[in-house]
Amino acid sequence: MQGLRQSCSDDVDLLDLSSPLNSSASSSLSIDEAESTETRIQRLISEHPVIIFSRSSCCMCHVMKKLLATIGVHPTVIELDDHEIYALPPAAEDGSSSTSSIAPAVFIGGTCVGGLESLVALHLSGHLVPKLVELGVLAFSSGCTACSSGEKK
């Protein structure tokens, strides 16, 4: 995570923290070389309302991005190296986690939702859209009454 490169991929902003930062690039993210991986991850979680931490070419992350993009949210995506995955905060209540259970991990409003299964469950239960509206990352849309009211069709 030495630098930052931002590119656009499939309606989603992809942030790569492994390449050197181009001084002419404009980005809302700053990289402090002295900052530890754990501190940097915590800062990124607090700065971005919807953020996904993933491994490169992770198919579950792709599905997470597509689900969020389909409902109108464009998350920040950070691809971590294997040694950086361990710096993610634990998703489990008891503080235990393994790399397979924490990557990919989506954080919404600073809280770890979990992986793909947890994100889909949150959406199917009708709680995802209201949470995103509450954070201000999704405007209330009357187009999908099932999503906005929590009803199941």
Side-chain angles (χ1 to χ4, degrees):
M1 289 184 12
Q2 296 174 354
L4 171 72
R5 185 185 69 218
Q6 183 172 358
S7 61
C8 194
S9 169
D10 296 325
D11 301 328
V12 178
D13 288 332
L14 177 66
L15 301 170
D16 179 6
L17 295 175
S18 60
S19 61
L21 180 63
N22 181 353
S23 60
S24 64
S26 64
S27 174
S28 63
L29 296 176
S30 62
I31 302 295
D32 181 358
E33 294 289 330
E35 197 173 40
S36 72
T37 302
E38 292 84 1
T39 303
R40 188 172 302 145
I41 287 173
Q42 287 295 337
R43 182 176 52 78
L44 290 169
I45 290 168
S46 68
E47 289 176 351
H48 298 275
V50 181
I51 187 167
I52 298 172
F53 291 95
S54 174
R55 298 172 193 253
S56 60
S57 65
C58 172
C59 63
M60 291 184 293
C61 181
H62 176 76
V63 175
M64 291 171 90
K65 292 184 287 189
K66 284 296 187 185
L67 170 61
L68 290 167
T70 299
I71 60 176
V73 175
H74 302 287
T76 301
V77 177
I78 307 292
E79 291 185 355
L80 299 175
D81 296 329
D82 286 339
H83 69 279
E84 294 168 327
I85 296 277
Y86 295 102
L88 283 172
E93 291 289 324
D94 62 2
S96 66
S97 61
S98 68
T99 55
S100 61
S101 67
I102 61 172
V106 63
F107 290 78
I108 298 176
T111 303
C112 183
V113 170
L116 176 59
E117 187 175 325
S118 299
L119 181 64
V120 170
L122 188 64
H123 182 56
L124 292 177
S125 70
H127 293 96
L128 178 60
V129 171
K131 184 178 195 95
L132 296 169
V133 169
E134 181 182 320
L135 286 172
V137 296
L138 182 64
F140 178 75
S141 171
S142 60
C144 179
T145 57
C147 290
S148 59
S149 68
E151 297 174 18
K152 293 182 182 178
K153 290 191 172 187

